[in-house]
Amino acid sequence: EPEVTQTPSHQVTQMGQEVILRCVPISNHLYFYWYRQILGQKVEFLVSFYNNEISEKSEIFDDQFSVERPDGSNFTLKIRSTKLEDSAMYFCAAGGAKYEQYFGPGTRLTVT
Amino acid sequence: QKEVEQDPGPLSVPEGAIVSLNCTYSNSAFQYFMWYRQYSRKGPELLMYTYSSGNKEDGRFTAQVDKSSKYISLFIRDSQPSDSATYLCAMSAGGTYKYIFGTGTRLKVLA
Protein backbone atom coordinates (compact mmCIF):
# COMPACT_ATOMS: atom_id res chain seq x y z
CA GLU A 1 0.00 0.00 0.00
CA PRO A 2 1.32 3.47 -0.87
CA GLU A 3 2.67 5.42 2.09
CA VAL A 4 2.53 9.12 2.66
CA THR A 5 4.89 10.45 5.31
CA GLN A 6 4.63 13.62 7.38
CA THR A 7 6.99 15.58 9.58
CA PRO A 8 7.11 16.51 12.35
CA SER A 9 4.83 14.11 14.18
CA HIS A 10 4.22 16.72 16.88
CA GLN A 11 4.78 20.47 16.73
CA VAL A 12 4.34 22.82 19.67
CA THR A 13 4.31 26.52 18.91
CA GLN A 14 3.33 29.76 20.52
CA MET A 15 0.36 31.78 19.37
CA GLY A 16 1.31 34.15 16.58
CA GLN A 17 4.23 32.06 15.35
CA GLU A 18 4.53 30.62 11.86
CA VAL A 19 4.59 26.87 11.36
CA ILE A 20 5.34 24.72 8.35
CA LEU A 21 4.05 21.20 8.18
CA ARG A 22 5.67 18.86 5.69
CA CYS A 23 4.42 15.92 3.69
CA VAL A 24 6.17 13.55 1.32
CA PRO A 25 3.71 11.83 -1.02
CA ILE A 26 4.48 8.75 -3.11
CA SER A 27 6.37 9.78 -6.24
CA ASN A 28 3.60 9.02 -8.76
CA HIS A 29 0.90 10.85 -6.83
CA LEU A 30 -0.59 13.79 -8.67
CA TYR A 31 -3.27 15.06 -6.31
CA PHE A 32 -2.48 16.42 -2.87
CA TYR A 33 -4.64 17.47 0.03
CA TRP A 34 -4.53 18.83 3.53
CA TYR A 35 -7.16 17.96 6.11
CA ARG A 36 -7.39 18.72 9.79
CA GLN A 37 -9.05 16.97 12.70
CA ILE A 38 -9.67 18.85 15.91
CA LEU A 39 -9.64 16.48 18.87
CA GLY A 40 -12.93 14.60 19.10
CA GLN A 41 -14.27 16.11 15.88
CA LYS A 42 -14.54 14.94 12.30
CA VAL A 43 -11.91 15.18 9.61
CA GLU A 44 -12.29 18.48 7.72
CA PHE A 45 -11.09 19.33 4.23
CA LEU A 46 -8.72 22.29 3.97
CA VAL A 47 -7.29 22.38 0.46
CA SER A 48 -6.53 20.35 -2.64
CA PHE A 49 -3.53 20.89 -4.92
CA TYR A 50 -3.04 19.67 -8.47
CA ASN A 51 -0.73 20.65 -11.28
CA ASN A 52 1.16 23.02 -9.00
CA GLU A 53 -1.82 25.08 -8.00
CA ILE A 54 -4.69 25.08 -5.56
CA SER A 55 -7.66 23.33 -7.14
CA GLU A 56 -10.10 23.82 -4.30
CA LYS A 57 -10.13 25.21 -0.76
CA SER A 58 -12.57 25.33 2.10
CA GLU A 59 -13.75 28.30 4.09
CA ILE A 60 -11.30 27.26 6.83
CA PHE A 61 -8.36 27.83 4.47
CA ASP A 62 -8.11 31.60 4.85
CA ASP A 63 -5.24 33.99 4.17
CA GLN A 64 -3.30 32.61 7.14
CA PHE A 65 -2.82 29.33 5.28
CA SER A 66 -0.72 28.58 2.22
CA VAL A 67 0.50 25.47 0.45
CA GLU A 68 3.31 24.76 -1.92
CA ARG A 69 5.27 21.96 -3.50
CA PRO A 70 8.69 23.62 -3.67
CA ASP A 71 10.86 20.80 -4.99
CA GLY A 72 8.51 18.36 -6.67
CA SER A 73 8.53 15.97 -3.74
CA ASN A 74 7.64 17.74 -0.50
CA PHE A 75 4.21 19.25 -0.07
CA THR A 76 3.94 21.85 2.68
CA LEU A 77 1.25 23.62 4.64
CA LYS A 78 2.19 26.94 6.19
CA ILE A 79 0.20 28.71 8.87
CA ARG A 80 1.46 32.28 9.06
CA SER A 81 0.28 33.38 12.49
CA THR A 82 -1.05 30.51 14.55
CA LYS A 83 -4.08 30.83 16.78
CA LEU A 84 -5.15 28.65 19.68
CA GLU A 85 -7.96 27.24 17.57
CA ASP A 86 -5.45 25.96 15.00
CA SER A 87 -4.52 23.21 17.46
CA ALA A 88 -5.45 19.97 15.70
CA MET A 89 -4.11 16.95 13.83
CA TYR A 90 -3.17 17.94 10.31
CA PHE A 91 -3.27 15.19 7.73
CA CYS A 92 -1.75 15.25 4.32
CA ALA A 93 -3.38 13.00 1.72
CA ALA A 94 -2.30 12.15 -1.80
CA GLY A 95 -3.35 9.98 -4.68
CA GLY A 96 -2.73 9.08 -8.27
CA ALA A 97 -6.34 9.62 -9.27
CA LYS A 98 -8.67 12.44 -8.43
CA TYR A 99 -10.89 10.44 -6.11
CA GLU A 100 -8.16 8.38 -4.46
CA GLN A 101 -6.81 9.75 -1.20
CA TYR A 102 -4.20 8.04 0.93
CA PHE A 103 -3.57 9.73 4.25
CA GLY A 104 -0.32 10.26 6.07
CA PRO A 105 0.06 9.64 9.81
CA GLY A 106 -0.56 13.28 10.66
CA THR A 107 1.16 16.11 12.52
CA ARG A 108 -0.25 17.05 15.88
CA LEU A 109 -0.08 20.83 16.16
CA THR A 110 -0.37 22.34 19.63
CA VAL A 111 -0.63 26.12 19.86
CA THR A 112 -0.02 27.56 23.32
CA GLN B 1 -29.73 18.09 8.69
CA LYS B 2 -26.03 17.22 8.61
CA GLU B 3 -24.56 16.43 5.21
CA VAL B 4 -23.16 13.11 6.42
CA GLU B 5 -24.40 11.31 9.51
CA GLN B 6 -22.78 8.40 11.23
CA ASP B 7 -23.61 6.76 14.55
CA PRO B 8 -20.60 7.37 16.83
CA GLY B 9 -21.01 4.07 18.70
CA PRO B 10 -19.23 2.46 20.37
CA LEU B 11 -20.32 -0.74 18.71
CA SER B 12 -19.15 -3.83 20.57
CA VAL B 13 -19.24 -7.25 18.91
CA PRO B 14 -17.72 -10.66 19.68
CA GLU B 15 -14.85 -11.94 17.59
CA GLY B 16 -16.07 -13.64 14.42
CA ALA B 17 -19.27 -11.57 14.15
CA ILE B 18 -20.40 -9.80 11.01
CA VAL B 19 -20.24 -6.06 11.55
CA SER B 20 -22.45 -3.56 9.76
CA LEU B 21 -21.40 0.09 9.73
CA ASN B 22 -23.57 2.73 8.10
CA CYS B 23 -23.74 6.33 6.96
CA THR B 24 -26.60 8.41 5.68
CA TYR B 25 -26.25 11.57 3.68
CA SER B 26 -28.40 14.38 2.43
CA ASN B 27 -26.63 15.59 -0.70
CA SER B 28 -27.93 13.68 -3.72
CA ALA B 29 -24.94 14.91 -5.75
CA PHE B 30 -22.54 12.62 -3.88
CA GLN B 31 -21.14 9.99 -6.24
CA TYR B 32 -17.85 8.89 -4.68
CA PHE B 33 -17.86 6.99 -1.42
CA MET B 34 -14.97 5.89 0.73
CA TRP B 35 -14.49 3.98 3.93
CA TYR B 36 -11.50 4.61 6.15
CA ARG B 37 -10.26 2.89 9.29
CA GLN B 38 -8.57 5.08 11.88
CA TYR B 39 -6.69 3.76 14.87
CA SER B 40 -6.25 6.06 17.84
CA ARG B 41 -3.96 9.02 17.07
CA LYS B 42 -3.18 7.68 13.57
CA GLY B 43 -4.10 8.79 10.07
CA PRO B 44 -7.16 7.38 8.31
CA GLU B 45 -6.38 4.25 6.29
CA LEU B 46 -8.29 3.79 3.04
CA LEU B 47 -10.28 0.55 3.08
CA MET B 48 -12.79 0.75 0.26
CA TYR B 49 -13.70 3.13 -2.53
CA THR B 50 -16.89 2.91 -4.58
CA TYR B 51 -18.43 5.00 -7.28
CA SER B 52 -22.18 5.49 -7.56
CA SER B 53 -24.45 2.63 -6.49
CA GLY B 54 -23.78 -1.05 -6.01
CA ASN B 55 -21.57 -3.40 -4.07
CA LYS B 56 -17.84 -3.85 -3.89
CA GLU B 57 -16.02 -6.64 -2.10
CA ASP B 58 -12.42 -6.83 -0.94
CA GLY B 59 -11.47 -9.72 1.29
CA ARG B 60 -13.52 -9.54 4.49
CA PHE B 61 -14.92 -6.13 3.58
CA THR B 62 -17.99 -5.33 1.49
CA ALA B 63 -19.13 -1.80 0.70
CA GLN B 64 -22.68 -1.07 -0.41
CA VAL B 65 -24.13 2.12 -1.78
CA ASP B 66 -27.86 2.77 -2.08
CA LYS B 67 -28.19 6.17 -3.69
CA SER B 68 -31.98 6.03 -3.75
CA SER B 69 -31.99 5.85 0.06
CA LYS B 70 -28.84 7.98 0.47
CA TYR B 71 -27.36 5.22 2.57
CA ILE B 72 -24.01 3.48 2.49
CA SER B 73 -22.78 0.47 4.43
CA LEU B 74 -19.57 -1.33 5.21
CA PHE B 75 -19.75 -4.98 6.24
CA ILE B 76 -16.88 -6.74 7.95
CA ARG B 77 -17.02 -10.54 7.98
CA ASP B 78 -15.25 -12.68 10.56
CA SER B 79 -14.37 -9.63 12.63
CA GLN B 80 -11.09 -9.70 14.55
CA PRO B 81 -9.88 -7.80 17.63
CA SER B 82 -7.45 -6.02 15.28
CA ASP B 83 -10.48 -4.53 13.51
CA SER B 84 -11.15 -2.47 16.64
CA ALA B 85 -10.86 1.11 15.44
CA THR B 86 -12.94 4.06 14.34
CA TYR B 87 -14.50 3.68 10.90
CA LEU B 88 -15.05 6.81 8.86
CA CYS B 89 -17.20 7.23 5.81
CA ALA B 90 -16.37 9.99 3.36
CA MET B 91 -18.09 11.13 0.21
CA SER B 92 -17.78 13.57 -2.61
CA ALA B 93 -19.81 14.99 -5.45
CA GLY B 94 -18.50 14.94 -8.99
CA GLY B 95 -16.55 18.01 -10.02
CA THR B 96 -15.04 18.60 -6.60
CA TYR B 97 -11.94 17.38 -4.81
CA LYS B 98 -13.49 17.87 -1.40
CA TYR B 99 -14.51 14.85 0.65
CA ILE B 100 -17.03 15.26 3.44
CA PHE B 101 -16.37 12.94 6.36
CA GLY B 102 -18.71 11.42 8.87
CA THR B 103 -17.83 11.68 12.53
CA GLY B 104 -16.84 8.01 12.64
CA THR B 105 -18.16 4.89 14.38
CA ARG B 106 -16.00 3.38 17.08
CA LEU B 107 -15.91 -0.42 16.80
CA LYS B 108 -14.72 -2.80 19.49
CA VAL B 109 -14.27 -6.46 18.62
CA LEU B 110 -14.05 -8.51 21.78
CA ALA B 111 -11.80 -11.58 21.91
Side-chain angles (χ1 to χ4, degrees), chain B residues 84-104:
Chain B
S84 298
T86 297
Y87 289 79
L88 310 172
C89 63
M91 45 197 83
S92 178
T96 176
Y97 297 84
K98 177 180 178 180
Y99 269 86
I100 307 296
F101 278 77
T103 52

Side-chain angles (χ1 to χ4, degrees), chain B residues 30-107:
Chain B
F30 286 150
Q31 298 181 54
Y32 299 88
F33 304 92
M34 289 187 173
W35 284 97
Y36 287 88
R37 176 172 62 195
Q38 186 176 27
Y39 293 109
S40 181
R41 295 189 177 272
K42 301 290 185 184
E45 173 192 357
L46 180 63
L47 288 175
M48 301 284 286
Y49 156 60
T50 52
Y51 170 70
S52 195
S53 284
N55 293 1
K56 187 173 183 179
E57 189 173 320
D58 184 1
R60 297 186 295 114
F61 299 95
T62 300
Q64 282 186 355
V65 175
D66 182 348
K67 291 190 73 181
S68 62
S69 302
K70 298 191 182 70
Y71 187 88
I72 68 171
S73 300
L74 177 72
F75 297 95
I76 307 174
R77 288 183 298 282
D78 188 25
S79 56
Q80 303 295 310
S82 57
D83 294 327
S84 298
T86 297
Y87 289 79
L88 310 172
C89 63
M91 45 197 83
S92 178
T96 176
Y97 297 84
K98 177 180 178 180
Y99 269 86
I100 307 296
F101 278 77
T103 52
T105 297
R106 195 150 57 98
L107 172 68

Side-chain angles (χ1 to χ4, degrees), chain A residues 50-64:
Chain A
Y50 172 70
N51 204 25
N52 286 320
E53 62 182 21
I54 290 174
S55 45
E56 192 168 354
K57 59 184 180 179
S58 72
E59 58 278 3
I60 302 168
F61 194 88
D62 61 21
D63 292 344
Q64 293 299 310

Side-chain angles (χ1 to χ4, degrees), chain A residues 6 9-10 37-40 88-91 104-110, chain B residues 37-44 85-86:
Chain A
Q6 289 184 245
S9 56
H10 189 195
Q37 187 175 31
I38 295 171
L39 187 63
M89 282 291 284
Y90 286 82
F91 294 108
T107 293
R108 181 151 43 115
L109 177 64
T110 303
Chain B
R37 176 172 62 195
Q38 186 176 27
Y39 293 109
S40 181
R41 295 189 177 272
K42 301 290 185 184
T86 297

